[in-house]
Amino acid sequence: MISAALTVEQRQRLVRVARGQEDGDLLIRGASVVQPATREVFEADVVIAEGRIAAFGPGYGAARVVGARGAFLAPGFMDGHVHIESSLLTPAGFARAVLPRGTTGIVAEPHELVNVVGAAGLGWMLDAGRSSGLRVWASAPSCVPASEFEQGGAAVGAADIAEMLALPSVLGLAEMMNYPGVLNADPGVWEVLEAGRRAGGFGAARRMDGHASGVGGRDLHAYAAAGLHSDHEATTPEEARERLRAGLWLMVREGSAARNLAALLPVLREGPRRAMLVSDDVSVDELLELGHLDRLLRMCVSGGLHPADAVALVTCNPAEYWGLHDYGLLAPGYHADCVLLKDLAGFEVLETFVGGQEARAGSSTPPLPGGGVDLGAGWSAATFDVPAHWPVMEVRPDQITTGMGAPGSGDTRLVVADRYGRAGPGQTAHSTCWTSGTGLTGGTLGISVLHDAHNAAFLGGTDADIRAAGAALEQLGGGVVVVAGGEVRASLPLPYAGLMTDADPHAAAAAVGQITAAVRALGCVLPYPVTTLSFLGLTVIPALKLTPRGLLDVGAWQMIGGADHN
């Protein structure tokens, strides 16, 4: 939902309304206005016309009046970096979940979808976003696949990225995850960086998002010197401060798989000028149970931030970073995206407005071809032995990083299989390793959501249960399944590229809840098992990750072993 620019006539009417010469369209009377630009809260009437803020102050009239009665009026919340697909929802479903929480705009990074269906996935995301009820912008995926160790359903090069950057509502280059390629002058990676630079015009790059997990010291400075502008991978105060000193915008991430806000609150209390809050990846069940950016605001204020400073982290700061100059403040001429709040501690939302209208989520999603699951003709007879000398992947419940344990210390198998039908006749392409930390002692959790290539992953279980889970995913066309004793105990079909459902968010969350309950009954101790499992194949996050080709030591940037072909 991206508004067109005002015509001269509309802008002149806005001026007349601001001068009190003409009534506006909407008057919000008696609000306590949150102004992050001046770090204050003041009482005022706010008049809106042509979808924009006209003015605030006494004596204005409007065709419609809403009595705020002292409730707090803040700019609409903006998530500056989010993968909609990780919620398991389409943009319309995501809007249904977050609009009631005060989120009015997002910058989507659709590399999950682009990894499955190619560059057309970005266009689909923008099309679906326009009818969602949210303002949906996007960044152009820079790493499809994320590294040379991954292979998804598509590969995107510099020429494709240049075309994506030319699309309306695409604000810049998405997170550059292949930091080894940046640091080591990989030609393909640098062609992508140059495409981002050329898209800015006049010799200035558009925003180029960073993704530098574990990078510090000279390598971090070199990464920033390559032209990257931000990073959302800081997990400690020291890492956060180092990024700010290097001139990078600090995106403080608090999602379902990686929770960094509590650790970085000391840095935010220092008042950094160039910081924002982002969710990155957040599951539908958490969105409905705990909230979206409103939850992060509660954490910030309870952690000692002034409410106006906290609000800036999800309004004017992300808007400034992305060059959205008429968003993120309640000020004359700015888009009338705002949220009426009961208080500035719990951030309970009373009403959300987008363009001066009560927010309403869309109900339709455009069709999306492609994206099923084909594990190969040999899947029904596959076995999943683990090489005895391989190290163990130590799974962490609240981070997307993993540890490296000694061989023999694992207790749960992980299988990752190519889902795109590339195995030869009678074959299947997969690899297997041991994990620790999940607690899963029986049955199998299977998914077709595996960042970033989105192959199929299976945690735990006997060979028979793993094969049954794979067969169930193929039948669903992608999704999430729990199998025990050869029977499907819970499932969620994801017909949109094997990543998303158009179901009502409450129905989707209920299905995820049933899946979580089913795997917990089998011993799993992960708070969000689906989300955590979905990151165990992402090759740009330390320390160990599994792909169909084998087990990768991310720090050494080399495969420990090759894939089994059964």
Side-chain angles (χ1 to χ4, degrees):
M1 180 180 178
I2 310 298
S3 299
L6 294 182
T7 64
V8 171
E9 291 78 12
Q10 290 171 319
R11 184 73 69 176
Q12 289 177 347
R13 180 185 173 231
L14 192 65
V15 170
R16 293 195 299 273
V17 172
R19 300 188 71 193
Q21 297 170 333
E22 186 175 329
D23 283 350
D25 302 322
L26 173 67
L27 179 68
I28 301 176
R29 177 173 288 161
S32 295
V33 176
V34 182
Q35 179 54 282
T38 56
R39 201 170 182 262
E40 63 179 329
V41 178
F42 57 87
E43 187 170 330
D45 298 344
V46 178
V47 63
I48 294 165
E50 304 294 342
R52 307 278 184 129
I53 305 293
F56 40 76
Y60 287 103
R64 180 167 176 249
V65 177
V66 171
R69 297 183 178 87
F72 295 85
L73 188 68
F77 307 150
M78 181 183 298
D79 195 333
H81 179 76
V82 60
H83 306 283
I84 294 177
E85 307 97 308
S86 293
S87 70
L88 307 181
L89 301 170
T90 61
F94 190 82
R96 290 195 288 272
V98 303
L99 280 170
R101 297 286 192 165
T103 300
T104 58
I106 62 172
V107 181
E109 209 286 57
H111 73 228
E112 320 298 350
L113 182 56
V114 173
N115 265 276
V116 177
V117 302
L122 174 61
W124 180 90
M125 187 64 74
L126 291 172
D127 287 344
R130 277 187 280 274
S131 60
S132 70
L134 279 172
R135 298 195 191 273
V136 177
W137 298 275
S139 53
S142 65
C143 299
V144 179
S147 77
E148 63 264 34
F149 301 107
E150 293 187 41
Q151 187 177 17
V156 171
D160 303 302
I161 290 168
E163 291 182 6
M164 288 191 283
L165 285 165
L167 293 174
S169 304
V170 175
L171 304 180
L173 190 68
E175 52 189 325
M176 174 47 72
M177 295 179 286
N178 192 347
Y179 60 83
V182 174
L183 300 178
N184 297 315
D186 178 277
V189 170
W190 277 77
E191 285 178 6
V192 169
L193 293 176
E194 289 305 305
R197 274 185 264 276
R198 288 193 298 270
F202 302 104
R206 290 208 202 164
R207 283 301 186 194
M208 303 210 301
D209 264 355
H211 182 291
S213 180
V215 179
R218 289 182 175 181
D219 281 350
L220 181 68
H221 286 196
Y223 186 75
L228 284 308
H229 297 134
S230 67
D231 187 62
H232 58 271
E233 293 295 324
T235 61
T236 67
E238 294 73 25
E239 287 183 335
R241 294 187 185 102
E242 187 178 23
R243 280 149 176 75
L244 289 165
R245 292 188 193 110
L248 296 170
W249 278 75
L250 177 66
M251 293 182 172
V252 177
R253 173 179 55 195
E254 183 71 14
S256 298
R259 302 181 184 278
N260 307 130
L261 177 53
L264 301 186
L265 270 173
V267 178
L268 294 179
R269 285 196 294 268
E270 295 165 5
R273 171 66 184 80
R274 294 153 67 90
M276 70 188 84
L277 303 174
V278 301
S279 66
D280 197 10
D281 300 277
V282 60
S283 63
V284 59
D285 48 336
E286 181 167 324
L287 283 174
L288 296 182
E289 178 186 357
L290 301 177
H292 187 216
L293 298 174
D294 58 316
R295 176 174 69 89
L296 277 56
L297 290 170
R298 287 192 290 275
M299 292 178 65
C300 285
V301 171
S302 66
L305 265 69
H306 187 284
D309 292 338
V311 167
L313 297 171
V314 296
T315 57
C316 56
N317 286 14
E320 178 184 343
Y321 174 78
W322 285 112
L324 298 168
H325 303 299
D326 295 338
Y327 293 88
L329 289 176
L330 298 180
Y334 279 65
H335 289 271
D337 300 348
C338 45
V339 55
L340 202 59
L341 302 164
K342 183 177 180 180
D343 58 50
L344 295 180
F347 288 91
E348 179 183 340
V349 175
L350 303 176
E351 185 69 81
T352 304
F353 300 88
V354 178
Q357 303 289 327
E358 289 88 347
R360 295 287 183 270
S363 58
S364 63
T365 297
L368 176 63
V373 174
D374 180 359
L375 299 174
W379 184 258
S380 61
T383 57
F384 308 101
D385 297 330
V386 181
H389 64 284
W390 281 16
V392 169
M393 182 189 298
E394 297 173 337
V395 179
R396 297 166 177 167
D398 59 353
Q399 299 296 336
I400 60 176
T401 56
T402 64
M404 185 183 300
S409 62
D411 50 24
T412 306
R413 282 191 298 180
L414 173 66
V415 177
V416 173
D418 187 299
R419 80 174 240 209
Y420 297 101
R422 287 186 287 249
Q427 294 184 333
T428 182
H430 69 267
S431 279
T432 308
C433 73
W434 287 106
T435 70
S436 65
T438 72
L440 189 63
T441 56
T444 299
L445 172 62
I447 61 175
S448 60
V449 181
L450 186 68
H451 303 275
D452 280 339
H454 295 292
N455 286 296
F458 305 90
L459 183 66
T462 64
D463 287 358
D465 277 350
I466 294 170
R467 290 192 295 264
L473 285 182
E474 287 183 321
Q475 186 173 9
L476 290 175
V480 184
V481 296
V482 180
V483 171
E487 296 182 356
V488 175
R489 301 288 181 87
S491 67
L492 172 62
L494 299 174
Y496 287 83
L499 303 176
M500 296 169 285
T501 175
D502 206 24
D504 177 81
H506 293 276
V512 172
Q514 292 167 359
I515 289 164
T516 301
V519 293
R520 285 181 180 162
L522 297 168
C524 184
V525 297
L526 299 173
Y528 295 93
V530 174
T531 304
T532 299
L533 175 56
S534 73
F535 279 98
L536 299 186
L538 181 50
T539 58
V540 292
I541 300 293
L544 289 178
K545 292 298 162 79
L546 188 67
T547 80
R549 294 173 50 191
L551 186 62
L552 176 70
D553 181 338
V554 180
W557 205 238
Q558 64 183 15
M559 303 296 290
I560 290 173
D564 296 328
H565 295 278
N566 299 316

